[in-house]
Amino acid sequence: MTPSVDELQAVKKVTVQARQVIDSTVNDSCFKVIGSHSTGLAMPWSDIDVTITLPDIDEEAAAHHKSLTGRKYQKLYYKTLRQLRQSFAKDPDFALDAEALIIHARVPILRVLHRRTGLEVQIQIHTGLHQQQQYTLAYLAEYPTLRPLYFVLRSCLQVRLLNKTYAGGLGSYSILIMIVNALKHASGRYDRHDVAQHLLHVLRFYARSDLYLNGFSVEPLRMFHKGKMSMTSEDCLERATDPVLRGIGAIASPKPSMPYLLCLQDPADPSNDLGKQAYAIKHIQATFGKARRTMIRAMGAWKRLSKFSLEAKHLGLLDALVCADYKHFDANRKRIKEYGASGSHELESKQISGTPPDGNPGSGEGKMSAREMLDKVMEVDERKAAEKAGRVQDILSSTRTG
């Protein structure tokens, strides 16, 4: 499920092209790849998530002690995204549809499609989502089975078109935190390296969870009741001083029209409910329940049959989750690979003005070839990633012992 060398090369090339459009539109912006391509969880067809920061706005907000999510700055973000939409619409390498700009989401994004590869680039203005990346790295270090579980369950939802938050599904980060939540509830019950038992547990946990009544918090682990709660003065004081409890109070009230939604608190932002847009959660629960039952029947059949028998070879244990007609995916991968392997001289012939050797435009003089930028833009600084993971691990440990 991991991308090949040519597919990674294609991602780098598409990222460079997107950055060129952004740099030509937004002056002095800082560009960073986030999401699965920065945490090592990318699949061959994963979207390319990028964030840009606007230094002038960040400095102004800091100087006046204002939140970057305030209405004033949100308007500036919308304006910037609309400018980028116009620029990408004029670029022959990219295509936009009628829903390219999603401004009513918690984090507004611009979605653009690379014509030759079909890869989608999702652009957002920096809003502190690097904290989610830090938690992701920390959880990957803590749970050995998290990575394979994520790949399987994300694929399960993708083949059913249930992996897009703006379409009622669950995004990559939400899927990851769902898995972490279930694994925490199974702490000590299974061997920490037993992927099969962990997979069955995650499927069972969400298939049987009563989402009408219960919500979940990961840091620290707790299951809470949805709806308004009567509170004593002591409870109010504790909530006022505890951001996690304050966040639960903000997200625990279900929508009257959709009381069945998953309520899952974001460890990186306690006021954020990761399931509030997943109106297809009932389908996901039903899918998980049916898949688990089918897998258990297949495992029973495997025990009765020799694993080398012809009949056993046709009993795929993961078929219930990821069995699909992969011709569409194979065709997409072929396009991506061909583009990744095609003439890198096209990139080398282009120059990006005003980009210094550190890869940040506007901070120095000189020119960097697009080929050089290609090598830098996706570069992973392992030391910094380890430091981030270590810092978050310390936070998680202190939270649990506190």
Side-chain angles (χ1 to χ4, degrees), residues 295-316:
M295 288 174 64
I296 291 175
R297 287 197 297 269
M299 290 167 66
W302 268 55
K303 290 180 180 179
R304 295 191 300 271
L305 300 169
S306 167
K307 65 180 180 179
F308 300 107
S309 68
L310 182 62
E311 187 175 355
K313 290 182 180 180
H314 293 285
L315 289 173

Side-chain angles (χ1 to χ4, degrees), residues 221-354:
L221 181 67
R222 63 161 56 88
M223 183 185 298
F224 55 86
H225 291 289
K226 295 167 68 174
K228 294 183 177 179
M229 298 174 286
S230 59
M231 298 177 62
T232 64
S233 58
E234 290 81 5
D235 293 334
C236 293
L237 179 61
E238 184 179 8
R239 177 173 292 186
T241 57
D242 187 332
V244 174
L245 292 178
R246 191 162 60 248
I248 289 175
I251 68 176
S253 298
K255 293 181 179 180
S257 60
M258 291 183 283
Y260 54 84
L261 290 179
L262 170 69
C263 185
L264 179 63
Q265 189 176 44
D266 181 356
D269 180 359
S271 65
N272 181 30
D273 181 3
L274 295 174
K276 65 182 178 182
Q277 300 294 334
Y279 52 79
I281 190 65
K282 281 190 171 184
H283 300 288
I284 295 172
Q285 285 186 288
T287 297
F288 283 1
K290 183 177 180 180
R292 182 178 180 273
R293 294 189 296 271
T294 304
M295 288 174 64
I296 291 175
R297 287 197 297 269
M299 290 167 66
W302 268 55
K303 290 180 180 179
R304 295 191 300 271
L305 300 169
S306 167
K307 65 180 180 179
F308 300 107
S309 68
L310 182 62
E311 187 175 355
K313 290 182 180 180
H314 293 285
L315 289 173
L317 296 183
L318 294 180
D319 281 359
L321 286 170
V322 296
C323 184
D325 184 354
Y326 282 89
K327 292 179 181 178
H328 174 69
F329 291 103
D330 289 340
N332 284 347
R333 291 194 69 177
K334 183 179 179 181
R335 290 171 60 191
I336 297 170
K337 288 179 181 179
E338 290 177 347
Y339 185 71
S342 65
S344 58
H345 64 276
E346 297 176 3
L347 283 175
E348 293 184 4
S349 64
K350 297 180 179 180
Q351 295 286 329
I352 301 177
S353 300

